[in-house]
Amino acid sequence: MNYKTTRNRLLQASLAGGLVLGGLPVHAQDIQPMEETHTSSMPLEPSSTPDNTPSDNTAPSAPTADPAAPETPAVITEEIVEEASEQEEDKPSMPLPLDNHRKSDVKLNGIDISRWQDGIDPAAMDADFIICKASGGNGYRDPKFYEYASSILESGKLFGFYHFAHDRGCEDTPEKEAEFFYRTTRAYIGKGVPILDFEARDLLSAKDTDWAYRFVKAYYSLSGMKCMIYMSSYYTRTLDWSRLAEEGYPLWVANYGQNEVQNGYRENTFTDRAGTGAFEEYWMHQYSSRGRLEGYDGDLDLNKFFGSAEDWKSLCTVNEVPKTMYRVYNPNSGEHFYTADRNEWAFLCDAGWKDEGTAWQLPATGEPVFRLYNPNAGDHHYTMDAKEKDGLIRAGWTYEGIGWYSDLKEGTPVYRVYNPNARTGSHHFTTDSNEYSYLKKAGWNQEGIAWYGTVEESKEEKTVRENWISSSEHNNSSSQNKSIRVETPELNTASKRRATYPERPGENKDTKSSITVSSNPNGMKIHVQD
């Protein structure tokens, strides 16, 4: 008997509908080609999670058969097998559906970990790459993230970090969660692969792929990096991922098969061979949550990456994105502060300043805008006028260098107003002509156009910006007695009063703990302690 031909034929048929062999249910995972030894199964719904949270291991029903396909007998007997073999022994085997992983001659092995693997030594593990949980929702930072990240990078292993969307108790808008993920991981931009873990039940049941799209766009606008997306292979097919697939976001799928204890890495891994929906291929496969490796006494998630170390590093590429001017507000001093530095913006938000969203878009070059600091009042001033700059320096202000540039094409005017009654934050800058007019009625002096931002803004960037502004409200309960002055790397670093960013933000678990703030009649006095 030509069992190889017949088994391949039966496997092809079983993918269209469940069969029965000897009176027992038969699915794709139960019939394999003779030359293959892997174990595969229908996907889990939802899959087990990277951080080992409990999952519902209920497999979806098998796909229904094609009505136009030849009828398959309900029970497969030895006689039928023999007859089929004789009929087809001179015919080529029917092609098997392909497992659509990324085509690569090189494969890497790795694990993903979180606080649940407390006690693991990442540097000692046999792994080409290690991915660890960084954050979840808007407010949860994995307590082991910074420790793991340092160990992984110092060991020379490839690195990745993920955010769990809608982590329980911290659910928020995609823009807020992307912002929190960025603030948690900003020290590792370009050093690892950022990943969105999309498996929260509420998002999946709502089929809310728009949430994921807005998240990755917001994170990209902050970091210049594209997120990889993790999900069960089942949900790649049942949800519409066409926008993310078309824009080339890489996919990491979870499909465990029978998920038996796996000692060491598997050489060849396969999913259910049912495809990944809009994604033409997947980059990585999480094939077990019960992996065992020397060096750790417990279950581990095992993963196969279809590519080389250089391919992995290509996913860490930081792309140039249109520069955005961020605006934050100090409720203690009344100062509106402007910065194009995302690290400075994130640091200020962590310290209790109120995020007021995007102020305007910046050109890469143009006429310089100077930034100065008043050590007595504790606020900043910005001007294109070199004479004004020099006069303020003579009056005791500290020159902090070129903050940004004014658009030579004179695209979007940025208006300047002055509050004659304010001791700090006396100048304000806005692109909003309505705000400019309102402040005049409130007693501010209009001082004309200060400089220009760019006028061009893509539809995509506008959508991200509007979503960002509408959702960016920070909890300022801790800011009543807090303010901060920080160093911008692009500026002159000679000033002694500025603080430097921690090399690994969050290393102290609470960035605000390193800042001491007080106020006096001369303005805010801020001291940053080492």
Side-chain angles (χ1 to χ4, degrees), residues 94-105:
M94 294 180 66
L96 292 172
L98 298 176
D99 193 89
N100 62 317
H101 60 71
R102 182 174 179 270
K103 301 301 179 288
S104 174
D105 294 331

Side-chain angles (χ1 to χ4, degrees), residues 168-237:
R168 189 174 301 174
C170 301
E171 301 90 340
D172 216 322
T173 65
E175 289 75 26
K176 286 184 180 180
E177 291 200 21
E179 173 196 331
F180 183 73
F181 184 38
Y182 171 74
R183 286 160 59 187
T184 301
T185 61
R186 65 182 181 266
Y188 304 103
I189 299 303
K191 299 179 182 179
V193 179
I195 300 163
L196 172 62
D197 181 353
F198 194 81
E199 56 179 312
R201 291 174 182 268
D202 58 338
L203 294 176
L204 293 173
S205 61
K207 299 184 178 182
D208 195 358
T209 59
D210 183 63
W211 194 102
Y213 186 78
R214 287 168 57 187
F215 178 97
V216 298
K217 286 299 183 181
Y219 189 80
Y220 184 85
S221 72
L222 291 167
S223 66
M225 298 188 72
K226 279 190 171 182
C227 290
M228 179 179 280
I229 303 172
Y230 167 94
M231 71 187 84
S232 162
S233 58
Y234 173 81
Y235 288 110
T236 64
R237 301 186 293 270

Side-chain angles (χ1 to χ4, degrees), residues 309-366:
E310 291 306 312
D311 292 326
W312 182 282
K313 292 175 183 177
S314 72
L315 298 178
C316 305
T317 301
V318 180
N319 302 291
E320 288 294 328
V321 294
K323 279 235 175 186
T324 297
M325 179 62 70
Y326 302 105
R327 173 171 141 177
V328 291
Y329 174 69
N330 185 334
N332 296 313
S333 67
E335 177 186 6
H336 291 276
F337 182 75
Y338 307 86
T339 180
D341 187 282
R342 292 190 293 265
N343 286 332
E344 186 171 35
W345 160 81
F347 196 78
L348 289 168
C349 291
D350 279 344
W353 289 58
K354 179 178 174 59
D355 178 19
E356 295 188 320
T358 300
W360 60 84
Q361 302 295 315
L362 295 170
T365 59

